[in-house]
């Protein structure tokens, strides 16, 4: 990967493209009348000089709207949750986790609840920092709900656990030992998203039946005061793809050759970037994956890691749906600017608009793998009258 990054920097100054002049534009258009090539739609196809996936730091997901638990395509996730502010004699304790959605085809749904044994902070915890500080013994029993039913009604259902009431009572006795709970879901090929405490409507709750000094029972609900997903990658991803993703914050950089074969006074009628999606390595849900395309202003190489300076506003905002196999992006305005100001052609950076949203990622075929599916910038242009 390091060699590829260094090679990309040198390739920015090398012309490597395939071009053709024909009457087969990207989309059907009627040519203008004019002598010679004036008004005739000409076409140029540029293969990317190279593509590179840059892996950002593993993001803390403590302020996200969703909590994720499960295993899918090399990603493992658990989440932490903590409640406070209660007192009295605990007669019964239950944990309510409102479900948002399921991703993956796994059929074994076996989430478990564990006592956390060490401190953690919502706004900074990661899997590495947490370092498996939990008791492997379970402290909760899930109320039986069929997986098929949960899939059909996921955004309407809530997962309930009966908790060990003595554990909650111990938190009341010594609040300094209240490190909360860990929810684990080791079954393969299934990720489940739950609403976090930062959600707009549904939030996790602790339901307690407390016995008062009068002998009467009172049922109270408590919202979580901290929660965060912690995740890690369990399998190495193939390097013959490139990725954009949440969680690990994958970003993709694409560079293209100078537009030397197009006269600088030409008009770019239409330019589009075509990317082919590898669904076998992508993790995407019905919510889709939201991303931005930014124009790169400068690139530096620090400790064999590419650093990008991008424009203040993205070129475009878009999304990838779970059913998509191809992504097409309109880059007409950007391509026209590259033609007028060639030194501004420093490539594109594609990245998530919300890397703490969940653990989704999108894998694209790269030019090192299958050339026919590699990234392509297709340009239609016309020449001015002579």
């Amino acid at each position: 990967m390091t060699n590829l990054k260094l090679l990309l920097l040198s390739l920015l100054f090398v012309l490597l493209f395939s071009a053709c002049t024909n009457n087969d534009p990207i989309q059907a258009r009627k040519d203008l009348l004019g002598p010679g090539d004036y008004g005739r739609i000409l076409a140029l196809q540029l293969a990317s000089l190279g593509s590179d996936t840059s892996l950002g730091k593993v993001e803390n997901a403590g302020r996200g709207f969703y909590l994720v638990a499960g295993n899918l395509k090399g990603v493992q996730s658990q989440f932490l949750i903590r409640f406070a502010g209660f007192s009295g004699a605990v007669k019964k304790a239950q944990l309510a986790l409102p479900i948002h959605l399921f991703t993956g085809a796994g059929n074994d749904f076996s989430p478990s609840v564990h006592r956390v044994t060490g401190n953690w902070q919502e706004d900074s915890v990661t899997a590495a920092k947490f370092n498996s500080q939990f008791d492997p013994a379970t402290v909760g029993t899930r109320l039986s709900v069929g997986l098929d039913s949960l899939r059909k009604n996921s955004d309407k259902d809530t997962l309930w656990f009966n908790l060990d009431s003595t554990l909650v009572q111990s938190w009341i006795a010594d609040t300094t030992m209240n490190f909360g709970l860990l929810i684990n879901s080791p079954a393969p090929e299934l990720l489940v998203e739950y609403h976090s405490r930062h959600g707009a409507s549904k939030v996790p709750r602790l339901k307690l039946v407390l016995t008062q000094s009068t002998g009467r029972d009172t049922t109270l609900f408590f919202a979580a005061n901290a929660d965060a997903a912690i995740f890690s990658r369990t399998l190495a991803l193939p390097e013959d793809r490139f990725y954009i993703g949440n969680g690990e914050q994958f970003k993709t950089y694409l560079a293209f050759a100078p537009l030397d074969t197009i006269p600088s006074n030409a008009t770019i009628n239409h330019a589009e970037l075509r990317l082919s999606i590898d669904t076998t390595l992508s993790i995407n849900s019905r919510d889709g994956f939201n991303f931005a395309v930014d124009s790169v202003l400068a690139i530096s190489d620090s400790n064999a890691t590419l650093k990008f300076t991008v424009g203040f506003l993205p070129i475009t905002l878009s999304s990838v749906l779970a059913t998509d196999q191809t992504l097409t992006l309109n880059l007409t305005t950007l391509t026209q600017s590259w033609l007028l100001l060639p030194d501004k052609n420093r490539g594109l950076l594609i990245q998530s608009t919300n890397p703490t949203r969940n653990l989704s990622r999108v894998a694209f075929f790269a030019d090192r793998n299958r050339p026919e599916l590699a990234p392509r910038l297709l340009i239609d242009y016309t020449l001015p009258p002579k």
Side-chain angles (χ1 to χ4, degrees), residues 288-293 316-320 324 327-329 351 353:
F289 183 92
N290 298 321
F291 67 93
V293 180
T316 186
L317 298 171
S318 190
S319 62
V320 179
D324 288 343
L327 180 64
T328 301
L329 300 172
Q351 57 186 326
T353 57

Side-chain angles (χ1 to χ4, degrees), residues 151-309:
R151 285 189 193 276
K152 292 177 182 177
N153 304 290
S154 59
D155 203 29
K156 299 179 182 178
D157 280 335
T158 297
L159 193 65
W160 285 89
F161 288 88
N162 287 326
L163 297 179
D164 181 355
S165 60
T166 61
L167 172 62
V168 181
Q169 193 70 62
S170 72
W171 294 342
I172 295 174
D174 186 355
T175 58
T176 64
M177 298 304 292
N178 179 4
F179 303 120
L181 302 167
L182 176 135
I183 284 73
N184 187 34
S185 190
E189 298 308 308
L190 186 64
L191 283 178
V192 183
E193 291 183 19
Y194 303 86
H195 293 273
S196 79
R197 77 185 191 96
H198 299 283
S201 56
K202 302 177 181 180
V203 297
R205 295 183 299 169
L206 179 66
K207 178 183 178 181
L208 296 181
V209 178
L210 301 171
T211 301
Q212 305 299 317
S213 58
T214 59
R216 300 182 62 179
D217 292 340
T218 301
T219 300
L220 298 175
F221 289 87
F222 298 87
N225 68 345
D227 58 25
I230 53 174
F231 49 86
S232 58
R233 183 146 43 95
T234 58
L235 295 174
L237 294 174
E239 292 192 1
D240 57 358
R241 306 290 193 278
F242 61 93
Y243 307 88
I244 52 177
N246 296 334
E248 290 183 283
Q249 199 178 354
F250 287 109
K251 304 176 183 180
T252 283
Y253 169 67
L254 294 176
F256 292 92
L259 308 180
D260 292 353
T261 58
I262 302 178
S264 60
N265 59 352
T267 297
I268 304 298
N269 303 104
H270 186 72
E272 65 183 36
L273 176 65
R274 290 183 183 175
L275 303 169
S276 299
I277 299 170
D278 183 353
T279 56
T280 65
L281 292 173
S282 299
I283 300 175
N284 206 348
S285 69
R286 65 166 185 249
D287 286 350
F289 183 92
N290 298 321
F291 67 93
V293 180
D294 293 288
S295 177
V296 174
L297 304 180
I299 308 172
S300 60
D301 189 4
S302 174
N303 296 324
T305 300
L306 293 181
K307 302 292 184 182
F308 301 95
T309 301

Side-chain angles (χ1 to χ4, degrees), residues 302-375:
S302 174
N303 296 324
T305 300
L306 293 181
K307 302 292 184 182
F308 301 95
T309 301
V310 299
F312 180 71
L313 295 175
I315 301 164
T316 186
L317 298 171
S318 190
S319 62
V320 179
L321 301 179
T323 55
D324 288 343
Q325 297 185 1
T326 303
L327 180 64
T328 301
L329 300 172
N330 189 328
L331 300 182
T332 304
T333 301
L334 178 66
T335 305
Q336 185 74 67
S337 70
W338 285 352
L339 183 64
L340 297 174
L341 301 169
D343 63 327
K344 300 298 184 182
N345 180 2
R346 295 189 174 95
L348 305 168
L349 189 67
I350 309 174
Q351 57 186 326
S352 169
T353 57
N354 188 359
T356 64
R357 163 69 174 76
N358 53 23
L359 299 182
S360 294
R361 70 168 179 254
V362 181
F364 298 102
F365 289 102
D367 50 340
R368 305 183 300 279
N369 179 50
R370 296 177 61 180
E372 72 277 11
L373 298 176

Side-chain angles (χ1 to χ4, degrees), residues 8-9 11-12 16 46-52 253-257 299 338 345-348 367 375:
L8 277 171
L9 291 175
L11 281 175
L12 284 173
L16 174 63
L46 293 177
S48 64
L49 289 173
S51 58
D52 174 67
Y253 169 67
L254 294 176
F256 292 92
I299 308 172
W338 285 352
N345 180 2
R346 295 189 174 95
L348 305 168
D367 50 340

